[in-house]
Amino acid sequence: MPQPLKVILIGSAYPLRGGLAAFNERLIREYTKRGDDASIYTFSLQYPSLLFPGKTQYSTEPPPKDISIKVKLNSVNPFNWISVGNEIKKLRPDLVIVKYWMPFMAPCFGTVCRIIRKNGHTRVVSVIDNIIPHEKRPGDRMLSSYFVNSVDGFVAMSHSVIDDLETFTKNKPKTWCPHPLYDNFGEAISKQEARKVLGLDPEARYALFFGFIRDYKGLDLLLEAFGTPEMRSSGIKLLVAGEFYCDPAPYKEIIQRHGLERTVIMSNDFIPDSRVINYFCSADVVVQPYKSATQSGVTQIAYHFNKPMIITDVGGLSEFVPHGRVGYVVKPEIPAIASAILEFFKSGQEPEFSANAAVEKQKYSWGRMVDAISQFIIPVSSYDKSL
Protein backbone atom coordinates (compact mmCIF):
# COMPACT_ATOMS: atom_id res chain seq x y z
CA MET A 1 0.00 0.00 0.00
CA PRO A 2 1.50 3.38 -0.99
CA GLN A 3 2.60 5.77 1.74
CA PRO A 4 0.28 8.74 2.34
CA LEU A 5 1.39 11.92 0.62
CA LYS A 6 1.57 15.42 1.97
CA VAL A 7 -0.29 17.44 -0.69
CA ILE A 8 -0.84 21.21 -0.87
CA LEU A 9 -2.98 22.83 -3.53
CA ILE A 10 -2.41 26.53 -4.28
CA GLY A 11 -5.45 28.26 -5.75
CA SER A 12 -9.00 29.46 -5.27
CA ALA A 13 -11.08 27.98 -2.46
CA TYR A 14 -13.57 29.08 0.18
CA PRO A 15 -14.33 31.87 1.11
CA LEU A 16 -13.94 32.52 -2.63
CA ARG A 17 -16.70 31.24 -4.90
CA GLY A 18 -17.09 29.87 -8.42
CA GLY A 19 -15.95 26.96 -10.55
CA LEU A 20 -12.27 27.25 -9.70
CA ALA A 21 -12.97 26.97 -5.99
CA ALA A 22 -15.37 24.08 -6.57
CA PHE A 23 -12.76 22.21 -8.64
CA ASN A 24 -9.96 22.70 -6.12
CA GLU A 25 -12.05 21.73 -3.12
CA ARG A 26 -13.35 18.61 -4.85
CA LEU A 27 -9.84 17.58 -5.89
CA ILE A 28 -8.47 17.92 -2.36
CA ARG A 29 -11.39 15.88 -1.06
CA GLU A 30 -10.28 13.08 -3.39
CA TYR A 31 -6.75 13.13 -1.98
CA THR A 32 -8.15 13.15 1.57
CA LYS A 33 -10.39 10.19 0.71
CA ARG A 34 -7.26 8.29 -0.32
CA GLY A 35 -5.68 8.90 3.09
CA ASP A 36 -3.31 11.69 2.07
CA ASP A 37 -2.58 14.77 4.19
CA ALA A 38 -4.13 17.32 1.84
CA SER A 39 -4.82 21.04 2.25
CA ILE A 40 -5.33 24.23 0.26
CA TYR A 41 -3.55 27.59 0.37
CA THR A 42 -6.02 30.07 -1.03
CA PHE A 43 -6.11 33.81 -1.58
CA SER A 44 -6.60 36.51 1.00
CA LEU A 45 -6.74 38.72 -2.11
CA GLN A 46 -7.43 37.04 -5.45
CA TYR A 47 -8.30 40.05 -7.62
CA PRO A 48 -8.11 43.73 -6.73
CA SER A 49 -11.70 44.98 -6.76
CA LEU A 50 -10.99 47.23 -9.75
CA LEU A 51 -10.09 44.17 -11.85
CA PHE A 52 -12.95 41.92 -10.77
CA PRO A 53 -15.86 41.98 -13.27
CA GLY A 54 -18.54 40.46 -11.05
CA LYS A 55 -20.51 41.65 -8.02
CA THR A 56 -18.49 39.85 -5.35
CA GLN A 57 -15.68 37.33 -5.16
CA TYR A 58 -16.97 35.73 -1.99
CA SER A 59 -19.31 32.85 -1.26
CA THR A 60 -22.50 33.14 0.77
CA GLU A 61 -22.50 29.38 1.41
CA PRO A 62 -21.38 27.83 4.73
CA PRO A 63 -17.65 27.00 4.90
CA PRO A 64 -16.68 23.40 4.12
CA LYS A 65 -15.95 21.46 7.27
CA ASP A 66 -14.04 18.58 5.70
CA ILE A 67 -11.15 20.51 4.08
CA SER A 68 -8.15 22.32 5.56
CA ILE A 69 -8.04 25.75 3.89
CA LYS A 70 -5.45 28.40 4.76
CA VAL A 71 -6.34 31.92 3.55
CA LYS A 72 -2.90 33.42 2.96
CA LEU A 73 -1.97 34.30 -0.61
CA ASN A 74 -2.08 37.85 -2.01
CA SER A 75 -1.98 37.89 -5.81
CA VAL A 76 -0.42 41.36 -6.09
CA ASN A 77 2.00 41.55 -3.14
CA PRO A 78 5.52 40.22 -3.90
CA PHE A 79 6.49 40.23 -0.21
CA ASN A 80 3.54 37.93 0.46
CA TRP A 81 4.64 35.60 -2.36
CA ILE A 82 8.05 35.24 -0.72
CA SER A 83 6.52 34.63 2.71
CA VAL A 84 4.03 32.01 1.49
CA GLY A 85 6.65 30.35 -0.72
CA ASN A 86 9.06 30.00 2.20
CA GLU A 87 6.32 28.69 4.48
CA ILE A 88 5.37 25.92 2.07
CA LYS A 89 9.02 25.22 1.25
CA LYS A 90 9.71 24.51 4.94
CA LEU A 91 6.68 22.21 5.17
CA ARG A 92 8.29 20.00 2.48
CA PRO A 93 5.10 18.61 0.95
CA ASP A 94 5.57 15.73 -1.46
CA LEU A 95 3.33 17.41 -4.00
CA VAL A 96 2.17 20.96 -4.67
CA ILE A 97 -0.66 21.41 -7.19
CA VAL A 98 -1.27 24.79 -8.82
CA LYS A 99 -4.50 25.42 -10.73
CA TYR A 100 -3.52 27.88 -13.48
CA TRP A 101 -6.15 29.70 -15.51
CA MET A 102 -4.91 33.16 -16.48
CA PRO A 103 -1.63 35.07 -16.99
CA PHE A 104 -2.51 37.64 -14.31
CA MET A 105 -1.69 34.96 -11.72
CA ALA A 106 1.67 34.05 -13.27
CA PRO A 107 3.96 36.39 -11.25
CA CYS A 108 2.40 35.24 -7.96
CA PHE A 109 2.28 31.53 -8.77
CA GLY A 110 5.62 31.52 -10.58
CA THR A 111 7.46 33.14 -7.68
CA VAL A 112 5.88 30.93 -5.02
CA CYS A 113 6.65 27.78 -7.00
CA ARG A 114 10.28 28.74 -7.59
CA ILE A 115 10.80 29.19 -3.86
CA ILE A 116 9.07 25.91 -2.96
CA ARG A 117 11.16 23.87 -5.38
CA LYS A 118 14.37 25.05 -3.72
CA ASN A 119 13.79 22.51 -0.93
CA GLY A 120 14.88 19.77 -3.34
CA HIS A 121 11.98 17.54 -2.37
CA THR A 122 8.62 18.92 -3.48
CA ARG A 123 7.26 18.21 -6.95
CA VAL A 124 5.19 21.08 -8.34
CA VAL A 125 2.49 20.16 -10.87
CA SER A 126 0.09 22.52 -12.59
CA VAL A 127 -3.42 21.61 -13.65
CA ILE A 128 -3.94 23.92 -16.62
CA ASP A 129 -7.29 25.37 -17.62
CA ASN A 130 -5.82 27.65 -20.29
CA ILE A 131 -2.25 28.66 -21.00
CA ILE A 132 -3.40 31.05 -23.73
CA PRO A 133 -6.43 33.00 -22.46
CA HIS A 134 -9.69 33.39 -24.38
CA GLU A 135 -9.56 37.16 -23.92
CA LYS A 136 -6.02 38.07 -24.91
CA ARG A 137 -4.03 41.03 -23.54
CA PRO A 138 -0.53 42.39 -24.18
CA GLY A 139 2.10 40.53 -22.17
CA ASP A 140 0.07 37.32 -21.76
CA ARG A 141 2.68 35.10 -23.36
CA MET A 142 5.57 36.56 -21.36
CA LEU A 143 3.68 36.09 -18.09
CA SER A 144 2.64 32.52 -18.89
CA SER A 145 6.25 31.68 -19.84
CA TYR A 146 7.35 32.84 -16.40
CA PHE A 147 4.88 30.44 -14.81
CA VAL A 148 5.64 27.52 -17.15
CA ASN A 149 9.31 27.65 -16.16
CA SER A 150 8.47 27.42 -12.45
CA VAL A 151 6.86 23.97 -12.33
CA ASP A 152 7.87 20.35 -12.94
CA GLY A 153 4.99 19.15 -15.10
CA PHE A 154 1.49 19.80 -16.39
CA VAL A 155 -1.90 18.15 -16.52
CA ALA A 156 -4.12 19.67 -19.21
CA MET A 157 -7.82 18.94 -19.46
CA SER A 158 -8.07 19.16 -23.24
CA HIS A 159 -5.75 18.20 -26.08
CA SER A 160 -5.90 21.74 -27.42
CA VAL A 161 -4.21 22.98 -24.24
CA ILE A 162 -1.51 20.31 -24.64
CA ASP A 163 -0.88 21.73 -28.11
CA ASP A 164 -0.72 25.26 -26.69
CA LEU A 165 1.73 24.13 -23.99
CA GLU A 166 4.02 22.71 -26.66
CA THR A 167 4.58 26.26 -27.91
CA PHE A 168 5.94 27.19 -24.45
CA THR A 169 7.97 24.10 -23.58
CA LYS A 170 8.76 20.85 -25.36
CA ASN A 171 10.94 19.39 -22.61
CA LYS A 172 8.74 19.48 -19.52
CA PRO A 173 6.42 16.49 -19.08
CA LYS A 174 2.77 17.03 -19.76
CA THR A 175 -0.22 14.75 -19.88
CA TRP A 176 -3.93 14.92 -20.65
CA CYS A 177 -6.74 14.07 -18.29
CA PRO A 178 -10.36 15.03 -18.92
CA HIS A 179 -12.12 17.45 -16.59
CA PRO A 180 -13.77 15.30 -13.88
CA LEU A 181 -17.47 15.40 -13.04
CA TYR A 182 -18.76 18.11 -10.77
CA ASP A 183 -20.55 15.63 -8.55
CA ASN A 184 -20.85 17.92 -5.53
CA PHE A 185 -24.26 19.43 -6.35
CA GLY A 186 -26.46 16.64 -5.01
CA GLU A 187 -28.52 13.93 -6.67
CA ALA A 188 -30.89 14.88 -9.49
CA ILE A 189 -34.47 15.81 -8.72
CA SER A 190 -37.47 15.72 -11.06
CA LYS A 191 -38.11 18.48 -13.60
CA GLN A 192 -41.42 19.21 -11.90
CA GLU A 193 -39.80 19.70 -8.51
CA ALA A 194 -36.94 21.83 -9.90
CA ARG A 195 -39.28 24.02 -11.96
CA LYS A 196 -41.55 24.54 -9.00
CA VAL A 197 -38.59 25.88 -6.99
CA LEU A 198 -37.70 28.33 -9.78
CA GLY A 199 -41.29 29.27 -10.57
CA LEU A 200 -41.09 27.95 -14.14
CA ASP A 201 -43.84 26.58 -16.36
CA PRO A 202 -43.99 22.83 -15.64
CA GLU A 203 -45.10 22.05 -19.21
CA ALA A 204 -42.73 24.30 -21.18
CA ARG A 205 -39.60 23.17 -23.06
CA TYR A 206 -36.40 24.74 -21.72
CA ALA A 207 -32.84 25.09 -22.98
CA LEU A 208 -30.26 26.18 -20.39
CA PHE A 209 -27.26 28.50 -20.74
CA PHE A 210 -25.31 28.30 -17.47
CA GLY A 211 -22.25 30.04 -16.04
CA PHE A 212 -20.52 33.39 -15.90
CA ILE A 213 -21.38 35.38 -19.01
CA ARG A 214 -18.34 36.45 -21.02
CA ASP A 215 -18.29 37.48 -24.66
CA TYR A 216 -16.35 34.38 -25.79
CA LYS A 217 -19.10 32.10 -24.46
CA GLY A 218 -21.41 33.06 -27.32
CA LEU A 219 -24.62 33.94 -25.49
CA ASP A 220 -25.20 36.53 -28.21
CA LEU A 221 -25.20 33.75 -30.82
CA LEU A 222 -27.71 31.79 -28.76
CA LEU A 223 -30.00 34.79 -28.31
CA GLU A 224 -29.84 35.54 -32.05
CA ALA A 225 -30.70 31.89 -32.69
CA PHE A 226 -33.79 32.26 -30.51
CA GLY A 227 -34.64 35.34 -32.56
CA THR A 228 -34.93 33.41 -35.83
CA PRO A 229 -38.51 32.96 -37.11
CA GLU A 230 -38.47 29.19 -36.61
CA MET A 231 -37.34 29.48 -33.00
CA ARG A 232 -39.74 32.29 -32.16
CA SER A 233 -42.67 30.18 -33.35
CA SER A 234 -41.47 27.01 -31.60
CA GLY A 235 -42.47 27.97 -28.08
CA ILE A 236 -39.08 26.80 -26.74
CA LYS A 237 -37.82 28.91 -23.84
CA LEU A 238 -34.26 29.82 -22.85
CA LEU A 239 -33.11 29.89 -19.24
CA VAL A 240 -29.96 32.01 -18.79
CA ALA A 241 -28.41 31.40 -15.36
CA GLY A 242 -25.23 33.26 -14.58
CA GLU A 243 -23.70 36.58 -13.62
CA PHE A 244 -22.54 39.02 -16.29
CA TYR A 245 -18.75 39.36 -16.43
CA CYS A 246 -19.08 41.66 -19.43
CA ASP A 247 -21.31 44.52 -20.56
CA PRO A 248 -24.93 43.24 -20.45
CA ALA A 249 -26.24 45.95 -22.80
CA PRO A 250 -25.59 44.12 -26.14
CA TYR A 251 -27.38 41.02 -24.86
CA LYS A 252 -30.37 42.96 -23.61
CA GLU A 253 -30.53 44.75 -26.97
CA ILE A 254 -30.84 41.41 -28.81
CA ILE A 255 -33.67 40.34 -26.50
CA GLN A 256 -35.52 43.60 -27.08
CA ARG A 257 -34.90 43.65 -30.84
CA HIS A 258 -36.40 40.19 -31.30
CA GLY A 259 -39.14 40.61 -28.70
CA LEU A 260 -37.81 37.74 -26.58
CA GLU A 261 -38.75 39.14 -23.18
CA ARG A 262 -41.25 36.30 -22.56
CA THR A 263 -39.04 33.64 -24.17
CA VAL A 264 -35.75 34.29 -22.36
CA ILE A 265 -35.72 34.01 -18.56
CA MET A 266 -32.69 35.86 -17.23
CA SER A 267 -31.32 34.89 -13.81
CA ASN A 268 -28.20 37.02 -13.62
CA ASP A 269 -27.08 36.78 -10.03
CA PHE A 270 -24.33 34.37 -9.07
CA ILE A 271 -25.82 30.88 -8.72
CA PRO A 272 -24.68 29.38 -5.39
CA ASP A 273 -23.84 25.70 -5.23
CA SER A 274 -27.05 24.88 -3.38
CA ARG A 275 -29.18 26.18 -6.29
CA VAL A 276 -27.27 24.71 -9.24
CA ILE A 277 -29.38 21.55 -9.08
CA ASN A 278 -32.59 23.48 -9.74
CA TYR A 279 -31.37 25.02 -13.00
CA PHE A 280 -29.93 21.85 -14.48
CA CYS A 281 -32.83 19.66 -13.44
CA SER A 282 -35.32 22.18 -14.87
CA ALA A 283 -33.70 22.02 -18.31
CA ASP A 284 -34.37 19.63 -21.17
CA VAL A 285 -31.01 20.40 -22.78
CA VAL A 286 -27.88 22.40 -21.92
CA VAL A 287 -26.51 24.67 -24.67
CA GLN A 288 -22.90 25.86 -24.80
CA PRO A 289 -22.62 28.16 -27.86
CA TYR A 290 -18.98 29.12 -27.23
CA LYS A 291 -16.92 31.05 -29.77
CA SER A 292 -13.69 29.71 -28.24
CA ALA A 293 -13.00 27.17 -25.52
CA THR A 294 -10.60 24.60 -24.15
CA GLN A 295 -12.85 22.61 -21.83
CA SER A 296 -15.85 23.58 -19.73
CA GLY A 297 -16.91 22.73 -16.22
CA VAL A 298 -20.51 23.26 -17.36
CA THR A 299 -20.18 20.09 -19.45
CA GLN A 300 -19.26 18.13 -16.35
CA ILE A 301 -22.19 19.50 -14.35
CA ALA A 302 -24.49 18.54 -17.22
CA TYR A 303 -23.02 15.03 -17.23
CA HIS A 304 -23.56 14.74 -13.48
CA PHE A 305 -27.28 15.36 -14.01
CA ASN A 306 -27.39 13.21 -17.20
CA LYS A 307 -28.41 16.19 -19.32
CA PRO A 308 -28.18 16.21 -23.13
CA MET A 309 -25.96 18.96 -24.55
CA ILE A 310 -25.67 21.10 -27.65
CA ILE A 311 -22.16 22.47 -28.00
CA THR A 312 -20.16 24.32 -30.63
CA ASP A 313 -17.17 22.71 -32.30
CA VAL A 314 -14.47 24.94 -30.82
CA GLY A 315 -11.34 24.14 -28.81
CA GLY A 316 -11.65 20.92 -26.86
CA LEU A 317 -15.41 20.89 -26.27
CA SER A 318 -16.12 18.17 -28.82
CA GLU A 319 -13.68 15.85 -27.01
CA PHE A 320 -16.30 15.47 -24.28
CA VAL A 321 -19.64 15.43 -26.12
CA PRO A 322 -19.94 12.68 -28.76
CA HIS A 323 -22.13 13.98 -31.57
CA GLY A 324 -25.39 12.09 -31.89
CA ARG A 325 -24.80 10.16 -28.67
CA VAL A 326 -25.29 12.64 -25.81
CA GLY A 327 -26.15 15.66 -27.91
CA TYR A 328 -25.11 17.66 -30.95
CA VAL A 329 -21.83 19.31 -31.97
CA VAL A 330 -22.42 22.23 -34.34
CA LYS A 331 -20.60 25.16 -35.89
CA PRO A 332 -20.52 28.36 -33.81
CA GLU A 333 -23.04 29.96 -36.14
CA ILE A 334 -26.58 31.22 -35.50
CA PRO A 335 -28.38 28.97 -38.07
CA ALA A 336 -26.53 25.86 -36.89
CA ILE A 337 -27.33 26.51 -33.24
CA ALA A 338 -31.01 27.21 -33.98
CA SER A 339 -31.28 24.11 -36.16
CA ALA A 340 -29.76 21.86 -33.48
CA ILE A 341 -32.13 23.10 -30.78
CA LEU A 342 -35.15 22.60 -33.03
CA GLU A 343 -33.96 19.14 -34.06
CA PHE A 344 -33.39 18.11 -30.44
CA PHE A 345 -36.94 18.92 -29.42
CA LYS A 346 -38.44 17.57 -32.63
CA SER A 347 -36.57 14.25 -32.48
CA GLY A 348 -37.62 13.30 -28.96
CA GLN A 349 -34.09 12.07 -28.23
CA GLU A 350 -33.89 13.39 -24.69
CA PRO A 351 -34.38 9.96 -23.02
CA GLU A 352 -31.81 8.34 -25.32
CA PHE A 353 -29.23 11.11 -24.86
CA SER A 354 -29.76 11.14 -21.09
CA ALA A 355 -29.23 7.36 -20.86
CA ASN A 356 -26.07 7.66 -22.96
CA ALA A 357 -24.79 10.52 -20.78
CA ALA A 358 -25.16 8.30 -17.72
CA VAL A 359 -22.81 5.80 -19.39
CA GLU A 360 -20.43 8.32 -20.92
CA LYS A 361 -19.81 10.16 -17.66
CA GLN A 362 -18.25 7.11 -15.99
CA LYS A 363 -14.89 7.96 -17.57
CA TYR A 364 -14.72 11.36 -15.85
CA SER A 365 -13.67 10.37 -12.34
CA TRP A 366 -11.68 12.38 -9.80
CA GLY A 367 -9.60 9.29 -9.13
CA ARG A 368 -8.38 9.46 -12.70
CA MET A 369 -7.33 13.09 -12.18
CA VAL A 370 -5.46 12.22 -8.98
CA ASP A 371 -3.64 9.42 -10.81
CA ALA A 372 -2.68 11.77 -13.65
CA ILE A 373 -1.24 14.31 -11.21
CA SER A 374 0.45 11.85 -8.89
CA GLN A 375 2.53 10.26 -11.63
CA PHE A 376 4.67 13.41 -11.62
CA ILE A 377 6.01 12.62 -8.16
CA ILE A 378 8.60 10.36 -9.79
CA PRO A 379 11.73 12.21 -10.96
CA VAL A 380 11.01 14.23 -14.07
CA SER A 381 14.10 12.80 -15.79
CA SER A 382 12.59 9.30 -15.70
CA TYR A 383 9.05 10.33 -16.63
CA ASP A 384 7.69 8.93 -19.88
CA LYS A 385 7.13 12.08 -21.96
CA SER A 386 5.12 10.10 -24.49
CA LEU A 387 2.13 9.85 -22.11
Side-chain angles (χ1 to χ4, degrees):
M1 186 173 180
Q3 290 293 315
L5 299 174
K6 185 175 183 61
V7 181
I8 293 175
L9 187 150
I10 301 174
S12 305
Y14 190 91
L16 299 169
R17 67 180 196 182
L20 290 167
F23 182 101
N24 293 338
E25 291 167 13
R26 180 61 184 83
L27 179 58
I28 285 301
R29 284 189 178 97
E30 191 67 22
Y31 276 100
T32 300
K33 186 172 78 173
R34 291 188 172 207
D36 296 320
D37 176 7
S39 61
I40 302 175
Y41 273 65
T42 193
F43 295 95
S44 57
L45 175 67
Q46 181 173 234
Y47 303 111
S49 56
L50 287 174
L51 299 180
F52 182 68
K55 297 173 184 176
T56 178
Q57 301 178 50
Y58 298 100
S59 173
T60 57
E61 301 276 284
K65 296 180 180 179
D66 57 340
I67 310 173
S68 173
I69 300 175
K70 298 176 175 63
V71 183
K72 294 206 170 188
L73 192 60
N74 185 309
S75 67
V76 296
N77 185 340
F79 296 104
N80 171 270
W81 308 342
I82 295 169
S83 173
V84 171
N86 280 322
E87 179 176 325
I88 298 174
K89 172 187 169 185
K90 291 176 184 176
L91 291 173
R92 290 176 62 83
D94 302 295
L95 174 65
V96 164
I97 304 165
V98 183
K99 186 69 151 51
Y100 185 80
W101 73 98
M102 66 183 304
F104 174 79
M105 296 297 172
C108 169
F109 286 158
T111 302
V112 170
C113 292
R114 280 172 168 80
I115 294 170
I116 293 170
R117 292 172 73 206
K118 288 180 181 178
N119 66 20
H121 172 75
T122 302
R123 312 303 290 175
V124 179
V125 179
S126 180
V127 178
I128 297 277
D129 278 2
N130 308 292
I131 193 67
I132 298 174
H134 302 295
E135 299 163 333
K136 299 178 178 62
R137 296 175 179 85
D140 282 346
R141 190 169 186 87
M142 178 185 67
L143 291 170
S144 287
S145 292
Y146 179 75
F147 174 72
V148 164
N149 291 325
S150 73
V151 303
D152 295 308
F154 306 91
V155 177
M157 293 184 288
S158 75
H159 289 101
S160 63
V161 174
I162 291 284
D163 293 339
D164 290 341
L165 275 168
E166 283 291 309
T167 69
F168 286 84
T169 175
K170 296 188 181 300
N171 298 323
K172 292 200 173 188
K174 51 190 79 74
T175 193
W176 170 81
C177 182
H179 194 306
L181 283 184
Y182 277 129
D183 55 4
N184 54 310
F185 296 113
E187 294 301 316
I189 59 177
S190 69
K191 281 183 187 175
Q192 290 73 21
E193 183 181 351
R195 291 180 180 184
K196 184 177 181 180
V197 171
L198 297 180
L200 300 176
D201 183 346
E203 302 301 326
R205 297 175 294 173
Y206 287 98
L208 172 67
F209 176 98
F210 185 88
F212 295 132
I213 300 168
R214 292 185 178 274
D215 290 336
Y216 76 85
K217 292 189 177 181
L219 177 58
D220 56 334
L221 300 179
L222 183 55
L223 292 172
E224 293 284 6
F226 268 81
T228 61
E230 297 83 3
M231 286 294 293
R232 285 207 309 270
S233 63
S234 70
I236 300 166
K237 295 183 180 295
L238 174 62
L239 183 58
V240 178
E243 187 177 347
F244 277 102
Y245 272 30
C246 58
D247 183 3
Y251 302 91
K252 293 179 179 179
E253 186 277 329
I254 297 172
I255 292 172
Q256 292 170 359
R257 174 161 39 90
H258 291 299
L260 298 175
E261 289 86 353
R262 303 184 72 174
T263 299
V264 179
I265 297 95
M266 302 289 280
S267 181
N268 297 131
D269 290 323
F270 175 78
I271 310 299
D273 288 357
S274 59
R275 297 192 67 199
V276 168
I277 187 173
N278 298 318
Y279 289 93
F280 278 84
C281 291
S282 290
D284 300 295
V285 64
V286 176
V287 185
Q288 298 177 74
Y290 294 6
K291 300 173 184 177
S292 67
T294 45
Q295 71 285 314
S296 171
V298 174
T299 302
Q300 303 305 338
I301 305 175
Y303 265 128
H304 172 61
F305 292 113
N306 299 335
K307 287 296 171 179
M309 287 169 268
I310 297 171
I311 65 162
T312 46
D313 191 8
V314 295
L317 287 185
S318 62
E319 296 175 21
F320 303 94
V321 181
H323 179 72
R325 178 168 169 78
V326 298
Y328 302 130
V329 180
V330 301
K331 293 180 179 179
E333 298 171 356
I334 295 164
I337 295 168
S339 177
I341 296 170
L342 290 167
E343 176 61 25
F344 171 79
F345 285 103
K346 179 182 177 181
S347 69
Q349 288 182 291
E350 182 182 2
E352 176 190 348
F353 286 169
S354 294
N356 290 340
V359 175
E360 189 74 18
K361 72 181 183 183
Q362 300 303 318
K363 66 178 70 170
Y364 301 123
S365 72
W366 288 92
R368 182 176 179 180
M369 175 60 72
V370 167
D371 290 342
I373 296 169
S374 297
Q375 65 184 300
F376 289 95
I377 297 174
I378 64 176
V380 170
S381 59
S382 63
Y383 179 76
D384 181 0
K385 297 181 178 62
S386 66
L387 290 176

